[in-house]
Amino acid sequence: MRNKLMLFTMLFFCASNLIKAQEVEIKDDKVLVDGKAILKYEKSSFFQHSFYSLTDDEEILMYKYNENESKNYPDDDYLILNFLTAKKKVECSDITKAVTGLGMSSKKNMEKLITWLLKEKVIDVNGVLNTTKLDTFYDKYNENITERTIR
């Protein structure tokens, strides 16, 4: 029994060393995954960013941070992910999915966003949008905040 436990423990540690997280970086207006460019990146403002296909310059994703017209009350803030080519918009109040923290650069936030989308397999390591996974992502995270907000 002890030998089996020892063997299992050794296999676990060997396997965990082989698993490597993908490194996402934004550099020179490109999104790099493990050093390979997969998307073009453009910052419109601190609250709005766009991601484009490398092949045809088509805007795939527009990210927007919405303060919900209450600058001093962050509890009602949310993020909008507008997947333009798929014509799907995701509104999510869990801003920790794309915001690294106060005082962090917007590039770090966008790196976290892309890491989230890669993890959920919405985009692949070639920058291609997976519409089937996007449907799952939409069902999982969309809260329809605009529709249920009274103005």
Side-chain angles (χ1 to χ4, degrees):
M1 177 70 169
R2 184 181 167 121
N3 287 342
K4 287 183 181 179
L5 181 62
M6 182 71 97
L7 179 63
F8 176 74
T9 304
M10 289 177 59
L11 287 173
F12 176 76
F13 284 114
C14 289
S16 64
N17 285 338
L18 295 175
I19 297 172
K20 180 184 152 211
Q22 295 165 325
E23 183 181 334
V24 176
E25 181 182 20
I26 295 178
K27 187 176 182 181
D28 299 327
D29 296 330
K30 298 254 191 305
V31 176
L32 307 174
V33 175
D34 296 332
K36 176 188 168 197
I38 65 164
L39 296 168
K40 292 179 185 174
Y41 165 75
E42 180 181 285
K43 177 180 174 182
S44 302
S45 71
F46 187 77
F47 297 111
Q48 187 171 324
H49 307 261
S50 293
F51 297 89
Y52 300 85
S53 167
L54 285 176
T55 56
D56 59 8
D57 276 340
E58 188 169 12
E59 188 173 11
I60 295 172
L61 170 64
M62 195 249 342
Y63 163 91
K64 184 175 181 184
Y65 183 86
N66 192 321
E67 290 183 323
N68 211 13
E69 300 177 11
S70 57
K71 198 172 203 169
N72 295 328
Y73 184 72
D75 290 346
D76 66 349
D77 295 355
Y78 62 98
L79 51 98
I80 301 166
L81 301 174
N82 195 348
F83 296 91
L84 300 165
T85 55
K87 296 183 180 6
K88 273 217 195 272
K89 187 185 290 191
V90 176
E91 297 176 335
C92 180
S93 63
D94 185 0
I95 63 170
T96 62
K97 298 289 187 188
V99 177
T100 55
L102 295 175
M104 296 303 290
S105 76
S106 57
K107 280 188 180 181
K108 289 291 179 198
N109 293 338
M110 293 305 96
E111 289 169 359
K112 186 172 183 178
L113 169 68
I114 296 297
T115 301
W116 178 34
L117 296 175
L118 285 165
K119 180 180 178 235
E120 296 286 339
K121 296 180 173 53
V122 174
I123 57 170
D124 66 16
V125 293
N126 296 313
V128 177
L129 190 65
N130 181 331
T131 54
T132 304
K133 293 294 183 178
L134 176 57
D135 290 340
T136 303
F137 183 83
Y138 178 88
D139 292 339
K140 192 173 178 180
Y141 295 106
N142 187 45
E143 298 174 44
N144 291 322
I145 295 167
T146 303
E147 285 182 18
R148 59 184 176 84
T149 303
I150 300 171
R151 298 234 181 243

